[in-house]
Amino acid sequence: MITYSFLQHYWCFIVSLLGALLVFLLFVQGANSMVRSLGYNEEGRRLIINSTGRKWEFTFTTLVTFGGAFFASFPLFYSTSFGGAYWLWMIILFTFVVQAVSYEFQNKLGNFLGPKTFQMCLVINGLLGPLLLGGAVATFFEGSNFVVFKESMIDNLAFSPVISRWGNASHGLDALLNPWVLIFGLAVMFLARVLGILYIINNVDDKDIRSRANSRLLGAAVPFVLLFVAYLVHLLLKDGYAYDDAGVISIVPYKYLDNFLTLWPLTILLLVGVVLVLFAIGKTFVSKDYVSGIWPAGIGVVLVVLPLLLMSAWNGTAYYPSTANLQSSLTIVNSCSSEFTLRTMFYVSFLVPFVLAYIVYAWRAIDKKKLTKEDIADDHAY
């Protein structure tokens, strides 16, 4: 029998899976952030931009789907975070919109700003997008400054329409003042650069670009590994936020360490993912002829991020802690949609494998042939 609790955990899994896929697809941003260093001249830069230009819509669509799934399954989080921390989310969305515009207009007739202006916009998106998205995810563990007025959801709703309110005027930007949020955000940014390098090596058939990419791999991989390990150690040692059967939130020492031990299958998945990412980096760096590193790295990233997100919510954990009012912290129980909504969406979610199959088919069709200099001579090239 499908229980309400099962549906809450199921939709937490679906949202986490979308988040993990989004982190993998940030290779588009990672490659764009290095377009001027990987591209040896204007032709080389156009090769990189046209390579990522084939995939940027996958990233943008996954970002929108991730937000939509959160809205449908956990609406209180959506209204609290997207509505309260709107400066943080607006900057993220703005950089992605600028990215789309930059692809389309950089080499169009009448572009009075010049191609370099739009290339710089792609670089800015490549740096800020992963950094701020990583920072937003870090708040699942570090907490955010908000208050939820739970009585507004039950009584006098017409007279008190405000359900949650941000605790200060920064509306989300205050999270960046937390050094651990910045560390995790920087880890995601460098991870995106690693994935971007591995993707370019695989997708662009150009010896100069592949040589430059390989030489810059360690420069992105070493900071990523150091930052990620530092945050993981911090996470295992820090206090966490738990809730009991009555919904009361409390601070529990070593809560996330307990999650890693209790949810040991997820911990195994995470460790397998770490090994795959390190294998992809190591083999690509050592073997100059190895160009398939993006695939073990991509699978590894999904296997790392998925358990990490689930650790923030499963096993009686508050996935969006409030630093302003402990009892305002959000859990998968107190922030989810009704049982009817979750059950209806459960059956609709059976269509997801077909959507993923179409994405795989489209990806393979696009990548039948590696990108070469001849391809950017096409009128439809970016």
Side-chain angles (χ1 to χ4, degrees):
M1 182 179 178
I2 300 176
T3 63
Y4 195 17
S5 177
F6 168 81
L7 293 170
Q8 292 163 346
H9 286 79
Y10 173 81
W11 277 105
C12 179
F13 172 82
I14 294 296
V15 170
S16 299
L17 178 59
L18 287 170
L21 292 172
L22 175 60
V23 173
F24 160 60
L25 291 170
L26 288 177
F27 68 77
V28 172
Q29 277 62 42
N32 285 343
S33 72
M34 306 182 72
V35 65
R36 303 195 70 82
S37 61
L38 296 180
Y40 51 92
N41 54 25
E42 189 59 33
E43 186 179 53
R45 288 189 282 272
R46 286 198 66 194
L47 271 172
I48 294 168
I49 290 171
N50 276 272
S51 176
T52 59
R54 295 177 172 188
K55 304 297 191 311
W56 74 267
E57 291 173 323
F58 288 115
T59 309
F60 194 84
T61 301
T62 305
L63 175 63
V64 174
T65 306
F66 172 72
F70 239 136
F71 169 73
S73 52
F74 301 101
L76 187 54
F77 167 81
Y78 190 90
S79 65
T80 301
S81 181
F82 288 77
Y86 59 79
W87 280 124
L88 177 63
W89 289 108
M90 284 299 292
I91 293 173
I92 292 173
L93 292 174
F94 179 75
T95 63
F96 276 88
V97 171
V98 169
Q99 175 202 53
V101 173
S102 299
Y103 274 119
E104 296 299 332
F105 287 97
Q106 60 183 296
N107 287 304
K108 295 292 185 183
L109 292 175
N111 171 20
F112 64 90
L113 295 175
K116 289 185 179 179
T117 300
F118 289 108
Q119 287 177 7
M120 286 306 301
C121 289
L122 290 177
V123 172
I124 292 171
N125 169 255
L127 294 172
L128 279 184
L131 174 65
L132 296 180
L133 280 172
V137 170
T139 61
F140 291 174
F141 302 101
E142 303 301 325
S144 292
N145 196 342
F146 65 91
V147 177
V148 175
F149 303 101
K150 297 180 180 179
E151 63 275 5
S152 296
M153 295 184 286
I154 303 173
D155 301 319
N156 302 321
L157 186 58
F159 302 100
S160 182
V162 177
I163 297 176
S164 57
R165 180 179 288 119
W166 211 251
N168 54 53
S170 71
H171 292 287
L173 295 181
D174 54 303
L176 300 178
L177 298 177
N178 184 329
W180 288 110
V181 169
L182 276 179
I183 286 174
F184 191 80
L186 287 170
V188 173
M189 186 190 77
F190 280 108
L191 173 61
R193 289 165 77 90
V194 169
L195 294 173
I197 290 171
L198 296 177
Y199 170 75
I200 292 299
I201 290 174
N202 176 261
N203 191 252
V204 177
D205 188 6
D206 185 277
K207 289 184 179 179
D208 289 323
I209 289 179
R210 284 180 173 174
S211 176
R212 283 168 171 261
N214 195 286
S215 66
R216 285 160 175 74
L217 182 57
L218 281 187
V222 171
F224 158 66
V225 172
L226 292 177
L227 290 166
F228 179 74
V229 170
Y231 190 80
L232 194 60
V233 171
H234 159 73
L235 186 64
L236 294 176
L237 298 179
K238 78 184 296 291
D239 295 341
Y241 301 80
Y243 64 94
D244 57 23
D245 293 338
V248 177
I249 313 294
S250 59
I251 297 177
V252 177
Y254 304 109
K255 172 58 179 170
Y256 299 109
L257 175 60
D258 176 68
N259 286 359
F260 274 82
L261 296 175
T262 304
L263 305 173
W264 59 266
L266 294 181
T267 304
I268 292 175
L269 279 183
L270 187 146
L271 293 176
V272 170
V274 169
V275 171
L276 285 173
V277 173
L278 294 178
F279 165 79
I281 294 171
K283 186 167 184 180
T284 301
F285 183 76
V286 172
S287 176
K288 308 302 181 183
D289 297 326
Y290 182 68
V291 298
S292 301
I294 185 62
W295 301 120
I299 295 171
V301 165
V302 173
L303 293 182
V304 169
V305 178
L306 174 61
L308 201 59
L309 291 176
L310 292 176
M311 296 286 186
S312 72
W314 283 5
N315 194 36
T317 310
Y319 71 87
Y320 200 48
S322 170
T323 57
N325 183 326
L326 185 62
Q327 299 311 313
S328 292
S329 302
L330 303 186
T331 72
I332 61 173
V333 175
N334 67 17
S335 66
C336 67
S337 294
S338 67
E339 182 175 1
F340 173 79
T341 301
L342 293 183
R343 187 180 299 274
T344 302
M345 293 195 305
F346 171 75
Y347 296 114
V348 174
S349 70
F350 292 160
L351 297 174
V352 170
F354 296 98
V355 176
L356 292 177
Y358 174 75
I359 291 174
V360 172
Y361 169 78
W363 189 298
R364 290 175 62 88
I366 293 172
D367 281 0
K368 275 184 178 179
K369 178 178 174 292
K370 303 298 183 185
L371 194 68
T372 63
K373 295 176 182 177
E374 288 72 23
D375 294 309
I376 62 174
D378 191 293
D379 291 338
H380 300 289
Y382 292 116

